[in-house]
Amino acid sequence: MGVPQTMEALRERAASMRESLHKSQTFTDSMVAILGSFDHRLSALETAMRPTQIRTHSIRKAHDNIDKTLKAAEVILTQFDLARKAEAKILRGPHEDLESYLEAIDQLRSNIRFFNSRKGFRSSDGVLNHANNLLAKAISKLEDEFRQLLTNYSKPVEPDLLLDCLPSSLRPSSGSPRQKGDASGTGQSGPQNKNVEAVVYTPPTLIPPRVLPLLHHLAKQMVQAGHQQQLLRTYREIRAPVLEQSLRKLGVERLSKDDVQKMQWEVLEAKIGNWIHYMRIAVKLLFVGEKQVCDRIFDEVDSLRDHCFAEVTVNSVSALLSFGEAIAKSKRSPEKLFVLLDMYEIMRELQSEIDTLFGSKSCLEMRESALNLTRRLAQTAEETFGDFEEAVEKDATKTAVLDGTVHPLTSYVINYVKFLFDYQSTLKQLFQEFDNGDPEAQLATITTRIMQALQNNLDGKSKQYKDAALTQLFLMNNIHYIVRSVRRSEAKDLLGDDWVQIHRRIVQQHANQYKRVSWAKILQCLTVQSSNSGGDSGLSRAMVKDRFKTFNVQFEELHQRQSQWTVPDSELRESLRLAVAEVLLPAYRSFLKRFGPMIENGKNPGKYIRYTPEDLERMLSEFFEGKTWNEQKR
């Protein structure tokens, strides 16, 4: 079996596969014939169905168009419905529900935009005209509401409330507003300014915070409607008079140069002190508060915000600055220097805040006016300096101080200089306005010139005395007063120790001159030259009597006259008495010891020897007390 059997099996399988392939081909031919028949039938069916398909597509397209039309109609009807609801709210007005009213205006604007974008809608023109007319009425009502709301909550600020907003150190005292260092800002401004800079001010609430958002929304709607000018006009008409009235209640008044010239100095000085106070309140409280209100109401509308603030404040700023200008332009006088410095100080203090508050282009004129006033005050103060130096040198006061004491001019000038040193920092700033030199050196130069002018004038006044001794006493008193005042003040550091030492020697020179002129003659009565033979002098008893008699007359005359003279400084007075006693008493004791016995042994010794050394010492203690003749006789 082997190979032949295997081959037989393979032949049987091949025959079976041929038979299967034949059957498959038969089936394939049959399916092709059947499918060809179906293709023919489908083609005929498609031809028959084509009209039906066309009608179905038209129906579907018409349905889609109807659906779109219904949806568009629904959108338009919705807009009509929203417009109707908005119109109802607008017709009711903004009083009942302002927030709802503003929403209705926004909706109305949305409707207008909607119909503007659908110009093809047949009724759009009529709808738009109605909506625009309604919107105009709505905005008009908003303007009325804005005016009413702003008016209702715009009230002048009472002075007491403003004063309560100030730090306690800057509130007015119960005394004069021009008292040194008080709340008016005058006086020792240098140290005070440092404290002022550290103080935080809390401006008053000008409009309740809850109202500001409503005003902001109203203003925003008016701006969107293009009513900026109406809004500006309304805001200015309401807020500007309220601010001006707040300042008037405080005491601010508009004064001209002529008004200032007619005022008594005491009245004007008080008004200047008040003005300094008002400037601080206006800038740090009222104007800041007004700026905050403007910023809240006109948020996001920068140009209108800045313009409104400028329009509201311009008259108030002008009223405040006009008084300062009137003072700066008025006739100069020495007593005005310190108030000019006070005014300059407050303007310097407020300058940065003024620059910030009025920093916009709309406020440029006010900002420049404030800066110009600062410079004008500095210039007038500097010119007043020069006037003062000249006035001191040329002071022609004819009234002499009869007792040789310190002249009123001396005390006036020294007090003036002392006050100047309270303003050192201010003066240095002032000098730098016009000169880049060392301000401390400039202050030293001016002070030295003023002192020299005073001494020159005192030299002239001393010549009015007929008594040479009183001339020396007068100069001694006045120069001593100057030196003592300088040593006790900051002027010492500026003028220097050399200046002090030189003028102390001048005082001593006048004291020595007084002793020489006043006591030389009387001391000659007690001076006796020894004879050449070495014995006692050749004075006879009669000559001794005459010497004692002359001494008594001269001493009594000096006592009577010089007891009425005055040396106001106690140390200087005692020093001068001691200097006289150290010369007079030893000479008198010596003369009395040598020649007293010649008189005591004769008749009426008391007629010639009237005084003991102790009597003279007691009487010398009455010199320079400024006693009247009646007081001496008691």
Side-chain angles (χ1 to χ4, degrees):
M1 177 160 172
V3 173
Q5 291 180 342
T6 303
M7 291 297 292
E8 187 62 29
L10 289 171
R11 277 195 296 270
E12 289 178 358
R13 290 181 180 176
S16 177
M17 290 181 66
R18 279 195 299 272
E19 186 179 356
S20 295
L21 287 170
H22 179 73
K23 288 180 179 179
S24 176
Q25 182 64 43
T26 302
F27 286 146
T28 300
D29 293 341
S30 297
M31 287 300 296
V32 168
I34 292 170
L35 289 173
S37 175
F38 273 123
D39 184 56
H40 177 73
R41 291 176 184 174
L42 285 172
S43 177
L45 181 61
E46 184 178 357
T47 301
M49 288 291 294
R50 185 171 290 117
T52 304
Q53 288 175 342
I54 292 171
R55 286 196 299 273
T56 301
H57 179 72
S58 298
I59 292 170
R60 187 179 295 115
K61 187 174 181 181
H63 183 273
D64 288 344
N65 288 336
I66 291 169
D67 190 49
K68 288 179 181 178
T69 301
L70 288 173
K71 287 182 178 179
E74 185 179 356
V75 170
I76 292 173
L77 289 173
T78 300
Q79 289 295 323
F80 273 115
D81 185 54
L82 291 173
R84 181 181 55 78
K85 291 178 180 179
E87 182 175 5
K89 291 179 181 179
I90 287 170
L91 292 176
R92 283 197 299 270
H95 298 294
E96 294 182 7
D97 186 352
L98 179 59
E99 186 175 354
S100 178
Y101 188 85
L102 294 174
E103 289 175 357
I105 289 178
D106 286 336
Q107 181 58 56
L108 194 57
R109 284 203 176 96
S110 176
N111 292 144
I112 291 171
R113 287 192 297 272
F114 175 83
F115 287 109
N116 269 325
S117 67
R118 287 163 175 77
K119 289 289 188 178
F121 178 60
R122 188 168 55 185
S123 301
S124 64
D125 290 342
V127 172
L128 283 171
N129 288 337
H130 179 72
N132 282 318
N133 289 335
L134 186 61
L135 182 61
K137 291 178 182 177
I139 296 301
S140 178
K141 288 184 178 182
L142 275 188
E143 289 181 15
D144 294 339
E145 182 68 13
F146 182 85
R147 177 182 291 275
Q148 188 63 43
L149 197 61
L150 189 63
T151 300
N152 289 344
Y153 290 100
S154 292
K155 305 297 180 187
V157 185
E158 294 299 324
D160 287 346
L161 177 59
L162 288 172
L163 298 181
D164 287 342
C165 291
L166 288 172
S168 58
S169 61
L170 293 176
R171 292 173 192 168
S173 62
S174 57
S176 165
R178 275 286 296 137
Q179 286 177 347
K180 187 89 171 144
D182 71 5
S184 69
T186 59
Q188 296 175 351
S189 307
Q192 188 179 8
N193 278 350
K194 292 179 182 177
N195 295 331
V196 168
E197 290 172 2
V199 171
V200 177
Y201 289 79
T202 305
T205 301
L206 302 183
I207 292 179
R210 62 183 175 81
V211 179
L212 292 174
L214 299 178
L215 290 168
H216 168 65
H217 291 312
L218 290 170
K220 189 175 180 181
Q221 292 288 347
M222 292 171 68
V223 170
Q224 288 178 1
H227 290 208
Q228 289 95 330
Q229 290 305 312
Q230 296 93 317
L231 179 59
L232 170 62
R233 184 171 59 252
T234 299
Y235 191 81
R236 179 187 63 227
E237 289 174 355
I238 295 171
R239 288 303 304 166
V242 170
L243 179 59
E244 292 166 33
Q245 194 173 351
S246 296
L247 289 173
R248 281 197 300 273
K249 280 176 169 281
L250 188 64
V252 173
E253 54 187 333
R254 188 183 288 271
L255 295 173
S256 67
K257 177 183 173 182
D258 291 337
D259 295 330
V260 167
Q261 289 293 122
K262 294 174 185 176
M263 285 185 190
Q264 294 288 334
W265 168 241
E266 292 76 11
V267 175
L268 181 59
E269 189 180 24
K271 285 187 179 295
I272 291 171
N274 289 335
W275 177 84
I276 290 167
H277 197 44
Y278 302 154
M279 280 297 299
R280 184 176 283 121
I281 289 175
V283 173
K284 291 182 177 287
L285 298 178
L286 281 174
F287 294 159
V288 170
E290 198 65 51
K291 187 73 163 61
Q292 290 174 349
V293 168
C294 259
D295 288 349
R296 289 289 303 280
I297 294 176
F298 301 107
D299 187 28
E300 302 174 359
V301 192
D302 293 350
S303 60
L304 189 60
R305 178 189 62 201
D306 295 336
H307 203 172
C308 281
F309 179 69
E311 291 285 320
V312 167
T313 55
V314 62
N315 287 340
S316 295
V317 171
S318 175
L320 284 163
L321 297 185
S322 66
F323 178 79
E325 288 286 347
I327 297 297
K329 293 177 181 177
S330 63
K331 185 178 179 181
R332 298 193 302 269
S333 60
E335 65 270 14
K336 283 185 182 176
L337 176 60
F338 299 107
V339 296
L340 286 168
L341 292 175
D342 289 333
M343 295 170 76
Y344 174 74
E345 276 182 351
I346 192 65
M347 292 304 296
R348 289 279 303 187
E349 176 191 327
L350 300 175
Q351 193 66 56
S352 62
E353 284 165 283
I354 290 173
D355 289 343
T356 301
L357 280 171
F358 301 98
S360 70
K361 184 177 179 181
S362 301
C363 298
L364 176 62
E365 187 174 343
M366 287 182 280
R367 192 167 66 250
E368 289 184 345
S369 294
L371 184 59
N372 289 338
L373 175 58
T374 304
R375 290 171 178 163
R376 170 84 64 149
L377 289 167
Q379 180 182 357
T380 307
E382 187 178 52
E383 290 169 353
T384 304
F385 254 133
D387 293 346
F388 178 68
E389 180 186 340
E390 184 178 354
V392 170
E393 180 123 26
K394 295 182 178 179
D395 178 75
T397 305
K398 297 296 182 183
T399 305
V401 284
L402 300 178
D403 59 354
T405 190
V406 176
H407 196 279
L409 177 67
T410 303
S411 56
Y412 174 74
V413 171
I414 292 302
N415 286 333
Y416 201 93
V417 171
K418 283 181 180 178
F419 283 146
L420 284 179
F421 281 90
D422 288 336
Y423 292 85
Q424 276 195 75
S425 60
T426 304
L427 287 167
K428 291 172 184 177
Q429 283 182 335
L430 186 146
F431 294 146
Q432 290 177 316
E433 294 272 359
F434 310 103
D435 193 334
N436 293 327
D438 180 3
E440 188 160 340
Q442 288 177 278
L443 184 57
T445 299
I446 288 176
T447 305
T448 303
R449 288 207 311 257
I450 290 173
M451 292 298 191
Q452 189 57 54
L454 174 59
Q455 290 179 66
N456 294 342
N457 190 283
L458 291 172
D459 285 339
K461 282 181 168 47
S462 70
K463 294 177 172 60
Q464 298 175 12
Y465 297 107
K466 295 180 180 179
D467 190 325
L470 187 55
T471 295
Q472 298 301 321
L473 192 79
F474 171 79
L475 291 171
M476 178 196 72
N477 277 330
N478 282 269
I479 303 300
H480 178 269
Y481 180 84
I482 294 170
V483 172
R484 186 190 63 177
S485 299
V486 167
R487 289 179 65 194
R488 295 179 179 179
S489 74
E490 294 177 75
K492 179 185 177 183
D493 296 332
L494 207 63
L495 295 174
D497 289 334
D498 288 346
W499 187 94
V500 171
Q501 293 304 322
I502 289 170
H503 286 78
R504 288 181 71 180
R505 285 196 293 271
I506 292 173
V507 172
Q508 189 58 49
Q509 288 169 8
H510 287 303
N512 293 337
Q513 283 290 88
Y514 157 78
K515 286 189 297 180
R516 184 185 63 79
V517 172
S518 189
W519 295 94
K521 187 176 179 181
I522 196 172
L523 286 172
Q524 288 177 358
C525 297
L526 305 176
T527 302
V528 179
Q529 297 294 333
S530 299
S531 63
N532 292 334
S533 60
D536 206 351
S537 68
L539 288 181
S540 63
R541 185 174 181 181
M543 293 173 67
V544 170
K545 287 181 179 180
D546 187 61
R547 289 287 186 95
F548 273 111
K549 190 174 181 180
T550 301
F551 175 85
N552 294 336
V553 170
Q554 290 183 359
F555 183 79
E556 288 166 2
E557 182 183 337
L558 284 172
H559 176 264
Q560 178 184 338
R561 187 165 68 252
Q562 296 195 20
S563 293
Q564 299 178 60
W565 296 356
T566 302
V567 177
D569 184 82
S570 59
E571 291 184 10
L572 181 61
R573 184 170 60 246
E574 288 304 317
S575 173
L576 194 60
R577 287 171 180 168
L578 182 60
V580 172
E582 286 176 346
V583 174
L584 180 67
L585 296 182
Y588 186 75
R589 286 192 180 96
S590 175
F591 190 83
L592 185 62
K593 183 177 181 181
R594 289 178 62 186
F595 301 105
M598 294 175 63
I599 304 301
E600 290 168 352
N601 295 331
K603 293 181 179 180
N604 300 320
K607 182 180 178 181
Y608 304 100
I609 305 176
R610 294 183 185 175
Y611 305 107
T612 64
E614 290 72 25
D615 292 332
L616 294 180
E617 188 173 10
R618 176 184 56 78
M619 293 174 75
L620 281 175
S621 68
E622 297 174 351
F623 277 53
F624 319 125
E625 289 286 352
K627 293 182 178 179
T628 64
W629 175 241
N630 289 332
E631 287 177 321
Q632 293 179 48
K633 291 194 296 184
R634 289 173 187 168

